[in-house]
Structures are given as C-alpha cells and as structure tokens.
C-alpha cells in the first residue's frame, strides 16, 4: 500500500507541475511575449484557424499544441 501511495503522490506532483508550466506558457503568449517550444525551440503563437474554431497555443511543428476553452 505504501508504494501505491508514493506513486500516486508523485503522479499528482507531476500533473500539477505540468499544469503550472502550461498556464505560465499560455500567459506569456497571450501577453505577446515570445516563447520557445520546449521540444523543438520554434516560436509558440496564439492561433485560430477559422472564425468559431477553438484558439490554440502551438508551435508550427505541433509538438506544443494547447487548445484553449474560451467562452463567447
């Protein structure tokens, strides 16, 4: 049981860290600051393909691709 508890605790920590990194990245991009993809190093941008489609924060290669939920 103790091992399961440690694994679950580590999973929660990793999930929380990932969430906070993504949140920080989204804030930077939406503030107009240049940010590089942590995988490929390309610039990450805010984009909307067509009117009515979801906004995304992504690099051109797609290794970073975060879909934003925006209420209209």
């Amino acid at each position: 049981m103790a091992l399961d508890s440690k694994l679950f605790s580590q999973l929660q920590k990793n999930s929380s860290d990932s969430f906070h990194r993504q949140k920080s990245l989204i804030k930077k991009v939406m503030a107009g600051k240049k940010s590089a993809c942590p995988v490929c190093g390309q610039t990450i941008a805010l984009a909307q393909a067509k009117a009515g489609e979801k906004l995304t924060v992504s690099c051109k290669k797609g290794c970073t691709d975060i879909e934003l939920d925006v209420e209209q």
Side-chain angles (χ1 to χ4, degrees), residues 8 26 36-37 42-43 53 61 71:
F8 184 71
I26 292 166
C37 173
Q42 291 187 359
T43 301
E53 288 188 359
K61 285 187 173 181
E71 291 184 22

Side-chain angles (χ1 to χ4, degrees), residues 25 27-35 43-44:
L25 178 65
K27 279 183 171 181
K28 286 179 186 175
V29 171
M30 291 187 81
K33 296 179 182 174
K34 286 193 174 187
S35 297
T43 301
I44 294 177

Side-chain angles (χ1 to χ4, degrees), residues 18 22 25-26 29 36-40 42-49 53-69:
S18 175
Q22 285 184 7
L25 178 65
I26 292 166
V29 171
C37 173
V39 177
C40 69
Q42 291 187 359
T43 301
I44 294 177
L46 181 65
Q48 184 176 20
E53 288 188 359
K54 295 208 176 205
L55 289 171
T56 60
V57 173
S58 59
C59 68
K60 286 187 179 184
K61 285 187 173 181
C63 25
T64 296
D65 188 22
I66 304 168
E67 190 175 284
L68 304 176
D69 286 330

Side-chain angles (χ1 to χ4, degrees), residues 1-8:
M1 254 334 192
L3 182 60
D4 288 342
S5 178
K6 285 183 181 181
L7 289 174
F8 184 71

